[in-house]
Amino acid sequence: HNMHIKIHDIVPITIANGPGKRFGIWVQGCEKQCTHCFNPETHDINGGYNLDIADLVKEILESNEIEGISISGGEPFLQTKKLITLISELKKINYKLTVLIYTGFTIEELQKNETDKDLLALTDILIAGPYLGDQKIHQPLLSSANQKIHFLTNRYTMIDVDSAECEYIIAEDGTITITGSNI
């Protein structure tokens, strides 16, 4: 049977959400309700749309200029098993693809759960912690001072993420999306 993942948006090539050119995935659904969250439309668990994981794998692999995927949201760890499937399928075909995940949980919270740990084991960079509007900062990949960047493999170091900036994505219908950390 086909497994679906709840998606808010995808951007086939982004340079503002981690090292190099990346395939950006914004999942749908979040229960955190962080004050001043800049993606409130991603919260509703019934919002967004379902995407077949096999189709998403195919689309990511067709973006052959990318060095990895960046998963944000919403809260990726509400769909842990689906993301494990997605990443495992990707790595079967292209094991070099790297994985960056933004989460509102801390790494300590995630390490208490076996399934979450299985997803962490597939992740190169984890950006962890709730967004705190009163601690807003302008640093690569971080939105508030409490958040932490965890390098879970030796693929990247701080030098690789220091150059991240914001970018403007202009859709065919003229909609402009600003993405990245320095906004």
Side-chain angles (χ1 to χ4, degrees):
H1 76 111
N2 291 359
M3 194 189 253
H4 289 87
I5 186 163
K6 253 330 206 168
I7 295 288
H8 174 71
D9 198 12
I10 54 177
V11 173
I13 291 190
T14 166
I15 54 162
N17 292 283
K21 289 183 179 173
R22 312 188 69 78
F23 189 101
I25 301 167
W26 282 262
V27 295
Q28 182 72 26
C30 184
E31 294 162 349
K32 283 260 183 246
Q33 305 297 325
C34 301
T35 321
H36 308 306
C37 171
F38 44 89
N39 277 348
E41 62 282 1
T42 64
H43 292 180
D44 181 3
I45 210 89
N46 300 309
Y49 60 97
N50 283 314
L51 194 52
D52 186 273
I53 287 179
D55 291 342
L56 183 53
V57 166
K58 196 166 159 289
E59 189 172 345
I60 293 168
L61 292 168
E62 283 167 3
S63 283
N64 57 7
E65 299 170 54
I66 58 163
E67 67 177 76
I69 62 172
S70 290
I71 305 165
S72 187
E75 174 50 65
F77 284 86
L78 289 184
Q79 301 189 70
T80 307
K81 286 190 170 128
K82 295 173 176 192
L83 289 173
I84 290 170
T85 302
L86 171 72
I87 295 164
S88 304
E89 292 300 311
L90 281 171
K91 285 188 180 275
K92 264 183 219 168
I93 302 161
N94 183 350
Y95 71 93
K96 289 184 175 161
L97 285 176
T98 58
V99 177
L100 180 150
I101 301 181
Y102 292 87
T103 177
F105 294 102
T106 64
I107 197 165
E108 292 77 15
E109 289 172 312
L110 296 173
Q111 283 164 340
K112 291 179 184 148
N113 176 301
E114 285 309 313
T115 315
D116 290 344
K117 275 164 72 173
D118 289 344
L119 181 51
L120 291 177
L122 294 168
T123 305
D124 297 286
I125 302 176
L126 183 77
I127 294 158
Y131 173 66
L132 301 178
D134 59 354
Q135 292 190 36
K136 189 167 164 54
I137 52 169
H138 293 289
Q139 268 178 28
L141 304 181
L142 299 179
S143 305
S144 62
N146 60 295
Q147 294 173 329
K148 291 191 172 65
I149 302 180
H150 301 278
F151 297 95
L152 302 180
T153 65
N154 57 11
R155 291 289 295 270
Y156 295 115
T157 65
M158 204 58 215
I159 295 159
D160 299 303
V161 299
D162 259 347
S163 59
E165 42 198 301
C166 80
E167 71 185 330
Y168 295 80
I169 297 162
I170 302 168
E172 284 173 21
D173 66 1
T175 314
I176 299 176
T177 306
I178 306 172
T179 176
S181 56
N182 296 328
I183 51 176

